[in-house]
Amino acid sequence: ESFLKAVGQGLSLPMNSFSVTLNGKDGPASYAHQVNDHAYFGKLHEMEAGYSLAVCAQECSDFPQEIIRVKL
């Protein structure tokens, strides 16, 4: 889902038009696609039991080391 949002096409992009390669438990995932000329990387953050947060960016350095939760 985060990849679909990052490329800006949402669910209009067929799910079989890209693939995800996981690079270890804590390493960033990489995406193989032909959507555009950008490379994309994903990361999964475990928030609490049963909940996680997936993020996608064009650079691995864009990922924070930790997620700061803010109560509103």
Side-chain angles (χ1 to χ4, degrees), residues 7 10 17 29 33 37 42 45 55 58-59:
V7 298
S17 68
H33 65 90
D37 293 334
H45 295 277
V55 294
Q58 291 182 14
E59 299 290 335

Side-chain angles (χ1 to χ4, degrees), residues 4-56:
L4 298 174
K5 290 179 180 179
V7 298
Q9 294 191 23
L11 292 175
S12 67
L13 184 67
M15 297 299 278
N16 64 354
S17 68
F18 64 94
S19 62
V20 181
T21 301
L22 303 176
N23 297 310
K25 183 177 182 242
D26 295 323
S30 57
Y31 298 88
H33 65 90
Q34 295 184 357
V35 177
N36 57 36
D37 293 334
H38 300 291
Y40 291 92
F41 302 92
K43 187 152 176 72
L44 187 65
H45 295 277
E46 298 295 329
M47 301 304 289
E48 57 186 66
Y51 295 92
S52 58
L53 168 72
V55 294
C56 185

